[in-house]
Amino acid sequence: MKNKKFVWAVMLPAMLHILVFIIVPIGIGLVVSFFNYNPLSSDNTFIGLENFRKLFLDADFRLAMKNTLIFVLATVFLNIALSLLTAQLISYFKSNKVRSFFRMVFFLPCIAPMVATSVVFSRSIFPTATGFLNMMLNRIGLPSVNWLGDPKVIMISLIIYTLWVDVGYNIVLFSAGIDGIPAYVYEAADLDGAGEWRKFRKVTLPLLGRSFQFVIVQTLISHFQMFAQFSVLILKDGPQNSGLVLSRYIYKTAFEYKDMGYASAVSMVLFIIIIILSFIEQKKHNVDWEY
Amino acid sequence: MKKIVSLLLCVLLTVSLTACSGSGKDTDSGQAPASDGTGGDITLTMWAHQNEPWNAAYTDAIAAFEAENEGIHIRLELFPYDEFEAKVQTSLIDGEGGADIYELWGGWALDFTPHNTLMAMPDDFAAQIREETYAPTYGALMNEGKLYGVPLEFNIENGAMLVNLGLLEANGLEVPVTWEELKTTAAAGTVYDGNVFQVKGFDFVNWDSVPYYFLSLILQQGSNYLTEDGKFDVTTEEAKIAFDELAGMVTEDKVTDLEGLTGGGDLEGYQQLFAGRGMMVPRGPWTISEGVESFGLELGTDFDYVAMPWYGEEHGFASETGWSLAVSASCKEQEAAMKFIQYLYEDEVMLDHNIRCTQIPSKRSLAESAEYQEAMPYTKVLVDILDNAQFIGTFNTDRLKETVNDTFVGYCSGDYASVDEAMNDLNTKLNAILE
């Protein structure tokens, strides 16, 4: 009983923090979405569900939603596949130092500020005439690609950058999970004559259930909210808004168009999508093992 | 005892959390002017964006002002441009924190003047400003007959262009004087390597120039893009001709591409000119110092700043209100803040500021003065046409530019079946901005 009180006492600041900085703002956002709200105006009228009705008629919102879903599905899938594969490859090294070295190398882009790396990619890696990527393509006899100026290519460029910047975090998480799986499980598989692929499929993957659940939910949430590369790496949401995503659209609507009510309605939609996907993911990956 | 310790721990953590979250009132850089405690000295905060020569000019002006006005201190706080707009907007929206005096882009003021967020200039001072400055320089600072700031400059992106003299000479070309010459010279100077530009003959495709020249070409044909009741009308024949003329240089003459609007370039168009990859680029005079200081070029030898040929008979163009100074309505020491603003507006101080910041003066007498012409002779091509300008209009110019540019990219990319369809769509979208 005493222990329980201490736990409550220690948790109270964190709970207050969540209440004040997360739950209350969400509540305020929900309320604002029912108003024609301009923070500069003294006349902010209640308009009920009008902002939500407007969403269905708004072509820019539909485009932003489509772009967001394409971006998130592609980056989450590729991120998890790449990070899991890399973590597995790293785990083959026997030396702890070598494993740590590789984990550190892959984690480095996560430390660099995204705004700064976005500038580097936009000015040095992706430019059509002088960019590093096109120089490499030209060297092997392939034509230049308009990475940031072609509406059909821009999302691929954004996905490439996002994978580079974000994959290291999940590599560290998966590595920790893989390292946590007891050696005797693999020894038993060896005795049964299982090969590397079979061990990965039948032992590693199922036992990484808890890591998987955390990585998927966390990556989903963060990728839905990504902003820096859409704001800095590409120019004004890209040609014909081909790089416009919900997070940018919320910012534009709120701070450039000063329509906070509508921006809040878009935020609510994004919030609900994230909640639903996280809930489904949690239900699907209900696991008993913890590595 | 454990209970007490737990409770204390809890209280401490809660207090520290509350302290970390701030109280909402930024006392360090807030509106409430700092005082020395004796009730004498006043410290005002001024916000401006980072720009080395501009910041140095402000710093010197502040020092001179403080020497003349004992007891008033101005604390200059600088922010990177990309953050500056958001900082200014959120602080003025919030009404708390922020600065007493703001360096403000004219277009931003439109959002604030109707809501009493900025202080209205005293009537006699406002009348003086309106009398002495060009109309476009204060248009966005006006609301219901009141003026809410002091224009520092005449923002102009029309009427002149940078030319790379080396590239012109290498191609045996001369600076064009007529619109037709502009097009033939641009075509003659354009160089490709396969599909990739090596030299763009006339790179007018950037965020500002496409909308400005679209409006300017309409005005030069004797028409207007606004109706008498303030609505947009770009469905006129003149608007269609103007749009087609600009798009044709991308799609038919191929003297430039859409990179300046779509992204994909390592440098902006005017920087490409300085790097020898552009021959003619229409931009404001603020680009000149970059050519000299960052690219090590010499004005008049490596590149020049020349008059842009007119398209039509009428020599009109639209201009928006540029950098200005304004006082927050919630400033507690408005008299002291006004004193500083009025000091900066004095001829001698403003002239020094304009020259050091490479600005076209907002004051007619300064723009035409011998001192200014002597210090900045290359701006003469612009000063000569300032009287042809009209204020662009009271609407969000960022949205105007975004809308025109999106339509331009779409039209050049074949998204519209005809110019009529493009103009009808643009007209609807532009009028939506006014709502």
Side-chain angles (χ1 to χ4, degrees):
Chain A
M1 193 62 184
K2 276 180 185 173
N3 189 31
K4 214 172 181 180
K5 278 182 184 167
F6 179 72
V7 170
W8 272 107
V10 172
M11 279 176 62
L12 190 64
M15 288 167 72
L16 273 175
H17 181 268
I18 290 168
L19 182 74
V20 173
F21 293 107
I22 297 176
I23 295 173
V24 170
I26 289 172
I28 292 172
L30 180 65
V31 172
V32 168
S33 68
F34 298 124
F35 284 81
N36 181 13
Y37 186 74
N38 178 343
L40 291 168
S41 173
S42 53
D43 181 27
N44 293 306
T45 45
F46 178 79
I47 53 170
L49 293 171
E50 179 58 25
N51 280 328
F52 291 94
R53 195 188 65 82
K54 213 166 103 183
L55 287 174
F56 292 100
L57 306 170
D58 183 351
D60 284 344
F61 170 73
R62 287 200 299 272
L63 179 64
M65 175 67 87
K66 188 182 115 192
N67 289 340
T68 307
L69 291 176
I70 291 171
F71 171 78
V72 171
L73 290 176
T75 49
V76 170
F77 174 76
L78 291 171
N79 186 316
I80 287 169
L82 272 175
S83 54
L84 185 60
L85 179 72
T86 315
Q88 179 66 33
L89 291 175
I90 290 172
S91 74
Y92 288 136
F93 290 106
K94 298 284 176 230
S95 161
N96 247 338
K97 279 185 183 170
V98 176
R99 287 210 299 269
S100 297
F101 171 76
F102 277 108
R103 279 200 288 260
M104 184 199 72
V105 168
F106 283 109
F107 194 69
L108 275 178
C110 302
I111 302 166
M114 280 181 77
V115 171
T117 53
S118 291
V119 171
V120 172
F121 269 70
S122 73
R123 295 290 162 129
S124 307
I125 310 287
F126 285 134
T128 313
T130 55
F132 176 76
L133 265 184
N134 279 348
M135 278 166 66
M136 290 296 110
L137 288 177
N138 295 159
R139 190 150 290 188
I140 56 171
L142 293 172
S144 294
V145 175
N146 191 353
W147 295 101
L148 300 177
D150 185 340
K152 295 189 189 84
V153 182
I154 198 165
M155 195 51 83
I156 295 170
S157 312
L158 286 162
I159 290 167
I160 291 171
Y161 167 77
T162 307
L163 288 174
W164 175 83
V165 82
D166 200 43
V167 85
Y169 187 65
N170 287 347
I171 288 174
V172 171
L173 291 174
F174 278 132
S175 283
I178 290 171
D179 287 353
I181 298 172
Y184 67 79
V185 186
Y186 288 109
E187 286 164 12
D190 283 336
L191 286 174
D192 289 340
E196 289 304 324
W197 170 241
R198 206 173 177 79
K199 275 195 282 182
F200 177 70
R201 210 159 51 90
K202 298 288 185 185
V203 178
T204 310
L205 275 185
L207 293 184
L208 277 180
R210 186 68 70 188
S211 299
F212 248 111
Q213 190 184 44
F214 176 73
V215 165
I216 290 175
V217 171
Q218 180 270 135
T219 312
L220 261 176
I221 292 171
S222 72
H223 285 209
F224 264 112
Q225 296 173 339
M226 279 197 164
F227 183 78
Q229 63 268 60
F230 297 100
S231 183
V232 180
L233 178 59
I234 60 175
L235 186 65
K236 308 274 183 191
D237 301 316
Q240 293 150 291
N241 282 334
S242 48
L244 178 69
V245 290
L246 286 175
S247 57
R248 257 292 296 171
Y249 192 53
I250 291 166
Y251 177 83
K252 256 172 87 163
T253 313
F255 296 105
E256 291 175 19
Y257 303 166
K258 312 279 183 308
D259 191 349
M260 294 271 184
Y262 189 56
S264 297
V266 181
S267 304
M268 282 302 127
V269 172
L270 181 60
F271 172 68
I272 289 164
I273 291 171
I274 292 173
I275 286 280
I276 290 172
L277 286 176
S278 304
F279 184 73
I280 292 171
E281 179 48 40
Q282 289 230 329
K283 281 279 165 205
K284 251 183 81 182
H285 278 93
N286 219 351
V287 290
D288 302 323
W289 298 90
E290 291 186 28
Y291 294 114
Chain B
M1 186 60 193
K2 274 184 184 172
K3 267 185 185 175
I4 294 167
V5 171
S6 299
L7 194 65
L8 268 174
L9 186 68
C10 174
V11 169
L12 272 172
L13 285 169
T14 311
V15 168
S16 64
L17 181 79
T18 315
C20 287
S21 71
S23 62
K25 177 77 182 173
D26 182 354
T27 50
D28 190 41
S29 61
Q31 251 93 23
S35 158
D36 64 353
T38 62
D41 281 13
I42 295 165
T43 299
L44 300 166
T45 306
M46 176 176 163
W47 280 7
H49 76 287
Q50 285 174 354
N51 178 315
E52 218 172 297
W54 291 34
N55 302 153
Y58 281 133
T59 306
D60 292 348
I62 287 169
F65 171 78
E66 287 177 346
E68 274 183 30
N69 295 273
E70 212 175 307
I72 305 178
H73 307 285
I74 314 276
R75 185 171 54 213
L76 181 64
E77 294 182 357
L78 305 168
F79 303 92
Y81 178 78
D82 289 343
E83 290 169 29
F84 186 56
E85 182 176 358
K87 289 281 287 182
V88 169
Q89 289 185 338
T90 46
S91 68
L92 282 172
I93 285 171
D94 187 40
E96 294 285 327
D100 300 297
I101 302 163
Y102 286 92
E103 182 194 58
L104 201 70
W105 179 254
W108 306 346
L110 287 173
D111 292 322
F112 302 111
T113 52
H115 302 293
N116 300 320
T117 323
L118 299 172
M119 176 196 165
M121 298 290 110
D123 288 345
D124 52 344
F125 186 46
Q128 185 191 349
I129 292 170
R130 293 177 66 179
E131 172 72 24
E132 294 176 349
T133 59
Y134 294 96
T137 66
Y138 61 81
L141 302 170
M142 294 290 300
N143 185 58
E144 294 182 351
K146 294 270 182 198
L147 184 71
Y148 288 86
V150 172
L152 294 173
E153 60 154 354
F154 193 121
N155 169 63
I156 184 166
E157 294 284 344
N158 280 273
M161 61 182 179
L162 296 160
V163 289
N164 184 314
L165 295 174
L167 288 174
L168 277 176
E169 197 182 321
N171 288 289
L173 300 167
E174 290 191 353
V175 173
V177 178
T178 66
W179 188 264
E180 277 313 306
E181 282 176 16
L182 173 80
K183 290 175 75 175
T184 51
T185 306
T190 302
V191 183
Y192 299 95
D193 177 14
N195 284 329
V196 179
F197 276 99
Q198 277 201 323
V199 176
K200 292 175 185 171
F202 178 58
D203 189 9
F204 69 96
V205 179
N206 61 66
W207 193 250
D208 291 322
S209 295
V210 170
Y212 278 129
Y213 277 99
F214 171 54
L215 302 184
S216 172
L217 262 56
I218 295 171
L219 296 173
Q220 287 177 45
Q221 294 174 77
S223 185
N224 205 333
Y225 53 90
L226 290 172
T227 59
E228 279 180 8
D229 57 353
K231 296 256 169 63
F232 281 101
D233 184 6
V234 292
T235 59
T236 59
E237 277 310 304
E238 291 83 359
K240 289 172 192 170
I241 290 169
F243 207 70
D244 242 351
E245 181 68 20
L246 295 175
M249 285 197 265
V250 176
T251 56
E252 288 163 27
D253 302 342
K254 294 188 167 64
V255 295
T256 185
D257 56 16
L258 296 171
E259 192 182 77
L261 294 178
T262 60
D266 56 337
L267 298 172
E268 285 202 42
Y270 70 93
Q271 294 168 327
Q272 291 186 21
L273 179 136
F274 294 140
R277 285 154 41 196
M279 197 170 68
M280 298 184 286
V281 177
R283 295 276 10 202
W286 53 271
T287 52
I288 292 170
S289 60
E290 197 171 329
V292 174
E293 282 159 31
S294 304
F295 288 82
L297 304 178
E298 198 175 319
L299 181 70
T301 307
D302 301 308
F303 73 99
D304 214 343
Y305 197 61
V306 301
M308 171 89 180
W310 296 100
Y311 174 73
E313 296 297 316
E314 305 284 331
H315 292 178
F317 64 94
S319 185
E320 66 178 303
T321 304
W323 288 106
S324 313
L325 286 182
V327 177
S328 169
S330 52
C331 170
K332 301 286 190 295
E333 295 288 348
Q334 293 190 344
E335 199 180 318
M338 273 312 302
K339 220 172 187 178
F340 176 64
I341 296 254
Q342 283 171 322
Y343 171 77
L344 265 183
Y345 187 73
E346 285 174 16
D347 278 356
E348 205 178 311
V349 183
M350 186 69 95
L351 180 66
D352 179 62
H353 183 85
N354 288 146
I355 292 171
R356 292 177 66 181
C357 301
T358 340
Q359 291 170 334
I360 305 290
S362 57
K363 283 171 127 172
R364 183 177 275 101
S365 62
L366 297 186
E368 292 169 351
S369 69
E371 296 98 307
Y372 182 74
Q373 299 284 335
E374 195 182 329
M376 297 176 67
Y378 53 85
T379 58
K380 185 165 187 332
V381 289
L382 293 176
V383 172
D384 288 346
I385 62 167
L386 294 183
D387 280 321
N388 298 346
Q390 69 174 53
F391 174 53
I392 196 166
T394 43
F395 43 78
N396 185 325
T397 50
D398 279 342
R399 291 192 71 182
L400 169 103
K401 289 175 194 173
E402 183 182 359
T403 311
V404 172
N405 287 332
D406 281 350
T407 310
F408 188 75
V409 172
Y411 184 60
C412 292
S413 309
D415 292 352
Y416 295 98
S418 65
V419 72
D420 296 73
E421 190 184 313
M423 289 299 94
N424 284 334
D425 186 39
L426 179 60
N427 204 54
T428 309
K429 287 175 178 167
L430 287 177
N431 280 309
I433 296 172
L434 302 175
E435 290 160 15

